[in-house]
Amino acid sequence: MQWETVIGLEIHTQLATNSKIFSGASTAFGAEPNTQACAVDLGLPGVLPVLNQEAVKMAVKFGLAVNAEIGMRSIFARKNYFYPDLPKGYQISQFELPIVGKGSIDIRVDVAEPKRIAITRAHLEEDAGKSLHEDFHGMTGIDLNRAGTPLLEIVSEPDMRSAKEAVAYARKIHSLVQYLQICDGNMQEGSFRVDANVSVRLRGEDALGTRTEIKNVNSFRFLERAINFEVERQIDVLEAGGKVVQETRLYDADLDETRSMRTKEEANDYRYFPDPDLLPVELDDAFIAQIQTTLPELPDAKRQRFMADYALQETDADLLTASREMADYFESAVKTSGGQAKLVSNWLTTELTGRLNKEDKSLGESPVAAIQLGELVRRIADNTISGKIAKQVFDVMWQSGESPDEIIEAQGLKQITDEGAIEAMVDEVIAANPEQVEQFKAGKAKVMGFFVGQVMKASKGKANPQQINALLNAKLKE
Amino acid sequence: MYRKTLSELAAELQKGQISSLELTRLFLDRIEASNTTLNAFISVDREGAEQAAKVADARLTQGQTGPLLGLPLAHKDIFCTEGVKTSCGSRMLDNFISPYDASVVARFKTAGAVMLGKTNMDEFAMGSSNETSWYGAVKNPWDNTCVPGGSSGGSAAAVSARLTPVATGTDTGGSIRQPAALCGITGLKPTYGRVSRYGMIAFASSLDQAGPMAQTAEDCARLLNVMAGFDERDSTSIDNTPEDFTAALEQSLAGMTIGLPVEYFQEGIHANVAQSLDTAIDELGKLGVQFKEISLPNQHLAVPVYYVVAPAECSSNLSRYDGVRFGYRCENPIDLEDMYKRSRGEGFGNEVKRRIMIGTYVLSAGYYDAYYLKAQQIRHLISDDFKKAFDQVDLIMGPTTPEPAFKLGAKSKDPVSMYLNDIYTISANLAGLPGISVPCGFADGLPIGLQMIAPAFMESRLLNIAHKYQQVTDWHKRMPADYE
């Protein structure tokens, strides 16, 4: 039978505000438990929430970036349920009137035509604290530092048809929120959390199958694996004549499987109602227009511009615009290099990225700054060093953080372009290898490589390859 | 001295006739002498009060002035007070000592007022008789076998017996006005948003409002001057230009028109109450007030609407009392669910549980539209009734309660008859309007109150008319003989 996968994602992004969404406490990650929870975050008797304007601005920024309808009047509602790390016994969220309405975003999988994924809504809400089950000997510890951190929950339509598409969409949102500087995107610290609603149906059917919601996925790799596991599981259930149960399932990365957490019957009745402690959020056109002016160039536009301005291939443009950091790095390096876009692109996507991956570093942690890479490329372009020597210089740069010019100077790596000096070396090599000269003259053109290698060796790799070639050609054909 | 109003005591202090410490001790001693009988206070902070009085005396000696500098008062135990237990009348918070002051409390502290203690109240302000308090019922000083009203019954009884010159209260459906009426004092519920709710333990957030309770309207005006004002920590607080509520007290009432809603004078009203109202109408008529019959056609829906909206909000507001972070936690819970169930089961009293259950029900899936949403729609109709009425009249007047204080235990088995005691007060909360209760007579030795309701932010008008009325009557000057 032909099964079709249907996926919709709910993405919780922690907004990068300095203080919490309804209190003045800091949102910084990693502090000692309960040191960043004020009376409001603790839900003490009598406290009241006050909305953080920055969170509203960030939500609107996102809405504009995905061409969404902005909720000019949005309402905070209480989602009621009991949990020890939910201090008030309700989460302040948005229900009926969210701040961001219908929008969309385009994704690409395997450089095919872009596919449009509809965004249903995005709403503001507060994060809960954390329950710590380890180290408490049969008890549970509660850390409320995270309680009240602003979240923007971005809900997609069930428009994705494969785990790959889901990952592409999640990555796109991940990149976008970082471009917008509204979320640090750190999945390990939980700043960007993805829940997947997955169902399958027979190809050609209109009705959606029963879905399950997968939670606890903290990397894109796990997202893909979790969805694929879940799709297989559902197909197995259906093909065995069973029914998929609507439920929430947890992904276990160690076992690479999803497990039932709670079924629909066990789900809470959240008893949403408008929060009487908060007024409706009313926005005006001037506010929206002001936010519009703060929008940076967005990934799709940047990608187009990179292809047009730098004559880059689509795949390179994709790589270089995957994050704002990468794009900024690239443009800065190109500028320093004197406009060597292609060379910079190659160095960035292969040499630097390879090195970063190997040492598990992010671009922000790179010991080689954009300007330094640009200088290195400039030295290749102006023939100060060859590409081969450049790799040697790059190694030193990576280790010491010194500038390429310093390294070239200190280690005497400057390319030899003095015609006379190279000619002397060429003459020497020809004189020392009569046998090979004979072979060349007999028509064995491959020997050319040997001569070039010998001259290079004699110059310690510093002789200009083009000049070596030209001189060898001329002398051997004499 | 203890019979004097706040305004009179302020003059004594300024003249140096008495020190703040002497005054404070006078009232502390009166509390000590009578609280066993009245049960009006949950906590008395003698040490803190004497300390604050000494500080006030030092300031007075330096020639500093202030409308409340050195004057004693009591706070309803619903206001968080740093370092002094804030129980909200509940076992749930019997062990709760707030790490911060409510905005109202902080404002009084800044003004130099001296807090004597925290007054008894219905548990979480849910009740009309003060019988739901974990600390036991408050007695009505006029008759110890009667209720003082609720939920601010401790404050009302304390002012009535002159255990404190003035007190704060809160009013969600009549909790300032009804006990003020039943104890023979003056109580004002300001416009919703006038006084910050920050630090005032929430019962029903869209209805709760703090206000003053005192012997006179003039004292209420002085207190409101301190209590009212914008607070950035309360999103529903209104950013109005500050107002002096004493400024208009002496204005002439000539040309003022008061509306008498037919719905407030129908069956159910006690004969003596109706008679006292008639007398008050005559008195006010002599002051130049004109009266006009009006109608509030949706008035009969106020109680049912209130008993959907208030429980809905309270069911959510009281979710935070879960035994996890503060307050009561049951002994030896076997697991999380057991801890929740027993902490809440043992920590809350029956009336609170009843309202949490009603509220949970009306918000639950499948019932929300029929109850909560419908109630909110009717709430708009009730508001509109008032708007239309205020097109024709300056104020609305009627009884505060259908009858004087009832016997302890008389209604505690019948929630609906208890709820109906707030039939005239609830609609002002639903519409967010200011209302005042003023003593206007007696029935068999028990006080009767008249209520006036004004358009939003017209507290000055209420205080003006109440003050003028009190200048020509002496109901507010009478005090229960047992506490003389």
Side-chain angles (χ1 to χ4, degrees):
Chain A
M1 275 183 280
Q2 276 287 326
W3 294 98
E4 183 180 47
T5 303
V6 178
I7 304 159
L9 298 186
E10 289 169 19
I11 300 178
H12 289 84
T13 55
Q14 277 185 358
L15 296 178
T17 53
N18 294 326
S19 60
K20 294 187 176 177
I21 184 166
F22 299 120
S23 85
S26 165
T27 53
F29 181 84
E32 282 296 300
N34 300 310
T35 55
Q36 283 176 181
C38 68
V40 173
D41 306 319
L42 293 171
L44 287 187
V47 298
L48 295 170
V50 176
L51 179 60
N52 182 339
Q53 293 295 323
E54 280 307 305
V56 173
K57 286 182 187 166
M58 288 181 178
V60 170
K61 218 168 168 182
F62 175 80
L64 293 173
V66 295
N67 295 312
E69 300 161 12
I70 302 299
M72 301 304 276
R73 184 171 190 275
S74 63
I75 290 186
F76 283 99
R78 293 184 184 179
K79 180 180 181 178
N80 295 282
Y81 65 97
F82 285 101
Y83 204 70
D85 59 25
L86 185 71
K88 298 184 295 297
Y90 58 84
Q91 177 194 31
I92 305 177
S93 181
Q94 295 189 308
F95 187 55
E96 280 185 333
L97 295 173
I99 190 150
V100 175
K102 283 189 172 56
S104 67
I105 199 166
D106 292 343
I107 60 164
R108 284 182 181 77
V109 174
D110 301 333
V111 289
E113 279 302 290
K115 174 173 176 174
R116 180 148 294 184
I117 305 295
I119 289 167
T120 317
R121 58 184 280 162
H123 62 257
L124 284 167
E125 61 185 24
E126 57 180 341
D127 210 342
K130 281 180 185 163
S131 294
L132 310 165
H133 300 290
E134 289 149 22
D135 309 330
F136 290 96
H137 313 288
M139 300 208 289
T140 297
I142 307 291
D143 177 7
L144 294 175
N145 282 353
R146 197 179 69 175
T149 299
L151 293 177
L152 185 68
E153 179 175 341
I154 304 158
V155 183
S156 83
E157 288 292 305
D159 285 353
M160 288 148 275
R161 293 292 173 267
S162 68
K164 276 198 161 36
E165 283 188 4
V167 169
Y169 166 79
R171 279 190 185 279
K172 192 71 184 272
I173 297 286
H174 187 247
S175 153
L176 182 63
V177 293
Q178 290 178 87
Y179 261 83
L180 297 171
Q181 292 175 327
I182 61 173
C183 173
D184 68 17
N186 191 323
M187 295 177 84
Q188 292 311 309
E189 291 176 4
S191 303
F192 189 91
R193 312 197 285 268
V194 183
D195 298 338
N197 286 304
V198 178
S199 65
V200 297
R201 64 181 170 192
L202 285 175
R203 219 165 267 287
E205 268 185 22
D206 286 337
L208 292 169
T210 304
R211 68 185 157 84
T212 59
E213 183 180 7
I214 311 172
K215 284 190 180 288
N216 199 30
V217 186
N218 63 4
S219 77
F220 296 118
R221 193 162 55 97
F222 290 158
L223 177 64
E224 185 165 351
R225 283 161 60 174
I227 291 172
N228 283 332
F229 173 88
E230 183 57 19
V231 166
E232 288 306 313
R233 190 192 68 84
Q234 290 188 12
I235 291 172
D236 287 349
V237 167
L238 293 171
E239 289 189 342
K243 278 186 175 166
V244 173
V245 179
Q246 186 173 337
E247 62 185 352
T248 305
R249 297 178 71 86
L250 281 185
Y251 178 66
D252 182 330
D254 294 332
L255 299 174
D256 188 24
E257 63 174 29
T258 65
R259 275 201 305 274
S260 181
M261 187 171 121
R262 59 170 177 262
T263 62
K264 191 187 175 190
E265 283 67 36
E266 295 163 312
N268 286 303
D269 176 355
Y270 291 123
R271 292 169 282 124
Y272 280 103
F273 75 107
D275 191 334
D277 288 333
L278 290 160
L279 302 174
V281 181
E282 314 253 5
L283 305 178
D284 58 28
D285 293 338
F287 179 83
I288 307 292
Q290 202 280 322
I291 305 266
Q292 187 86 52
T293 65
T294 68
L295 283 189
E297 183 181 33
L298 297 177
D300 286 347
K302 206 181 273 282
R303 180 178 177 277
Q304 290 305 321
R305 180 169 65 82
F306 275 22
M307 284 162 58
D309 290 4
Y310 300 119
L312 294 175
Q313 296 296 313
E314 222 172 28
T315 45
D316 289 338
D318 280 344
L319 281 171
L320 294 171
T321 56
S323 75
R324 186 167 168 178
E325 204 178 21
M326 179 69 114
D328 289 349
Y329 191 105
F330 170 74
E331 292 209 275
S332 163
V334 170
K335 205 172 160 196
T336 319
S337 76
Q340 298 294 325
K342 183 65 195 162
L343 258 182
V344 169
S345 164
N346 289 345
W347 272 86
L348 184 48
T349 57
T350 55
E351 207 64 35
L352 185 74
T353 305
R355 195 67 73 100
L356 289 171
N357 288 344
K358 201 169 143 195
E359 297 191 13
D360 201 22
K361 282 191 161 93
S362 70
L363 188 55
E365 295 163 334
S366 169
V368 176
I371 290 176
Q372 293 176 310
L373 189 75
E375 282 169 356
L376 182 69
V377 169
R378 191 171 69 199
R379 292 298 166 240
I380 302 168
D382 69 10
N383 283 328
T384 305
I385 52 172
S386 67
K388 197 168 171 209
I389 290 292
K391 286 186 185 174
Q392 214 177 306
V393 175
F394 182 80
D395 276 343
V396 182
M397 286 163 72
W398 186 271
Q399 296 303 329
S400 69
E402 287 173 277
S403 81
D405 283 350
E406 282 168 355
I407 297 163
I408 293 165
E409 187 62 39
Q411 306 203 5
L413 294 174
K414 203 166 173 189
Q415 188 161 245
I416 300 165
T417 49
D418 174 5
E419 194 84 14
I422 298 174
E423 192 174 358
M425 286 186 270
V426 167
D427 288 345
E428 216 167 284
V429 167
I430 288 174
N433 297 287
E435 207 176 305
Q436 281 79 359
V437 173
E438 283 309 309
Q439 287 173 1
F440 183 81
K441 288 193 168 161
K444 202 173 175 185
K446 265 165 67 181
V447 191
M448 187 58 146
F450 166 80
F451 285 114
V452 173
Q454 289 299 308
V455 179
M456 266 302 180
K457 200 174 162 191
S459 74
K460 297 194 176 91
K462 292 186 287 185
N464 180 293
Q466 283 85 31
Q467 285 174 286
I468 299 176
N469 269 310
L471 282 164
L472 276 171
N473 263 318
K475 301 237 173 205
L476 288 169
K477 283 172 186 164
E478 270 173 9
Chain B
M1 187 63 76
Y2 62 84
R3 292 202 63 146
K4 291 189 190 295
T5 65
L6 190 76
S7 313
E8 290 160 355
L9 292 174
E12 299 289 324
L13 274 180
Q14 291 293 339
K15 281 188 295 188
Q17 299 285 20
I18 190 167
S19 71
S20 173
L21 187 60
E22 286 163 336
L23 199 55
T24 299
R25 284 183 173 154
L26 169 75
F27 283 104
L28 286 168
D29 292 345
R30 286 183 64 78
I31 294 169
E32 209 161 89
S34 301
N35 202 44
T36 329
T37 324
L38 284 178
N39 198 24
F41 281 81
I42 291 173
S43 302
V44 179
D45 184 19
R46 180 174 278 271
E47 201 181 320
E50 289 181 350
Q51 186 54 38
K54 284 175 193 163
V55 171
D57 280 329
R59 288 175 61 185
L60 283 162
T61 313
Q62 287 165 13
Q64 291 187 35
T65 56
L68 294 183
L69 182 56
L71 290 163
L73 88 171
H75 287 305
K76 184 178 182 178
D77 207 22
I78 199 168
F79 294 99
C80 285
T81 44
E82 189 181 343
V84 178
K85 179 169 86 174
T86 301
S87 74
C88 219
S90 181
R91 183 187 194 188
M92 185 59 88
L93 291 177
D94 184 46
N95 64 1
F96 178 67
I97 295 182
S98 172
Y100 74 101
D101 277 331
S103 292
V104 163
V105 172
R107 282 173 162 269
F108 278 116
K109 267 191 188 171
T110 306
V114 173
M115 184 186 82
L116 301 169
K118 310 284 296 286
T119 59
N120 203 344
M121 56 182 285
D122 279 296
E123 184 178 12
F124 283 101
M126 298 175 201
S128 309
S129 66
N130 230 298
E131 293 168 292
T132 71
S133 170
W134 164 251
Y135 301 92
V138 177
K139 311 297 191 311
N140 190 316
W142 294 92
D143 178 346
N144 287 346
T145 65
C146 286
V147 303
S151 65
S152 311
S155 288
V159 173
S160 168
R162 311 296 193 254
L163 308 189
T164 176
V166 294
T168 54
T170 61
D171 190 316
T172 304
S175 282
I176 286 175
R177 291 159 291 158
Q178 186 255 15
L182 270 43
C183 289
I185 65 162
T186 308
L188 173 74
K189 179 203 99 72
T191 310
Y192 184 79
R194 182 68 99 170
V195 177
S196 170
R197 292 186 297 115
Y198 190 81
M200 185 178 117
I201 297 179
F203 159 17
S205 311
S206 74
L207 302 163
D208 296 342
Q209 182 62 205
M213 303 179 82
Q215 295 168 42
T216 65
E218 185 185 355
D219 283 359
C220 284
R222 283 172 165 263
L223 293 173
L224 190 60
N225 274 348
V226 173
M227 297 174 84
F230 177 65
D231 182 359
E232 59 182 12
R233 288 174 300 183
D234 175 2
S235 308
T236 61
S237 130
I238 309 283
D239 197 359
N240 274 359
T241 39
E243 203 177 315
D244 177 2
F245 295 99
T246 62
L249 287 176
E250 304 294 345
Q251 265 178 28
S252 161
L253 304 186
M256 195 176 275
T257 308
I258 291 184
L260 302 171
V262 286
E263 293 81 4
Y264 281 23
F265 294 90
Q266 284 163 349
E267 78 272 25
I269 182 168
H270 191 283
N272 286 343
V273 173
Q275 204 185 329
S276 295
L277 259 291
D278 281 344
T279 314
I281 289 166
D282 288 344
E283 290 289 346
L284 287 166
K286 289 181 210 159
L287 297 173
V289 174
Q290 290 173 339
F291 288 89
K292 183 173 181 179
E293 192 171 276
I294 56 159
S295 174
L296 299 170
N298 294 293
Q299 162 66 20
H300 64 290
L301 296 172
V303 172
V305 163
Y306 177 85
Y307 279 97
V308 171
V309 174
E313 293 181 9
C314 101
S315 72
S316 176
N317 282 334
L318 270 59
S319 294
R320 69 188 61 198
Y321 308 108
D322 55 6
V324 174
R325 297 167 314 285
F326 51 77
Y328 181 80
R329 183 190 286 182
C330 67
E331 297 281 339
N332 305 316
I334 52 168
D335 58 18
L336 179 62
E337 193 166 312
D338 183 49
M339 183 176 89
Y340 281 156
K341 283 183 174 167
R342 285 203 290 125
S343 296
R344 289 170 66 80
E346 295 161 18
F348 289 140
N350 285 339
E351 184 59 29
V352 169
K353 285 181 203 167
R354 181 171 11 248
R355 298 200 196 189
I356 289 174
M357 283 190 278
I358 295 170
T360 304
Y361 178 80
V362 300
L363 288 176
S364 58
Y367 297 100
Y368 179 85
D369 289 359
Y371 290 103
Y372 188 75
L373 208 58
K374 181 68 80 183
Q376 291 293 11
Q377 288 161 350
I378 298 172
R379 197 172 167 180
H380 283 293
L381 295 179
I382 290 169
S383 258
D384 288 346
D385 282 356
F386 278 111
K387 281 196 193 101
K388 283 177 200 148
F390 287 127
D391 285 342
Q392 311 170 49
V393 299
D394 300 306
L395 285 174
I396 289 170
M397 191 171 113
T400 309
T401 60
E403 55 181 11
F406 46 92
K407 294 284 181 193
L408 284 156
K411 294 178 196 281
S412 43
K413 296 282 181 297
D414 181 358
V416 174
S417 82
M418 183 76 86
Y419 297 168
L420 287 172
N421 214 253
D422 294 332
I423 192 163
Y424 304 128
T425 47
I426 276 175
S427 49
N429 298 83
L430 291 171
L433 302 176
I436 195 167
S437 179
V438 182
C440 71
F442 282 85
D444 303 326
L446 290 169
I448 292 167
L450 75 79
Q451 176 185 221
M452 287 178 289
I453 298 169
F457 304 110
M458 292 295 181
E459 287 88 349
S460 283
R461 193 180 288 171
L462 288 178
L463 291 163
N464 169 215
I465 191 163
H467 177 68
K468 296 299 264 189
Y469 175 73
Q470 288 181 337
Q471 286 184 319
V472 296
T473 55
D474 70 349
W475 307 113
H476 61 288
K477 289 183 179 159
R478 304 193 188 180
M479 72 167 283
D482 291 352
Y483 303 90
E484 292 271 12

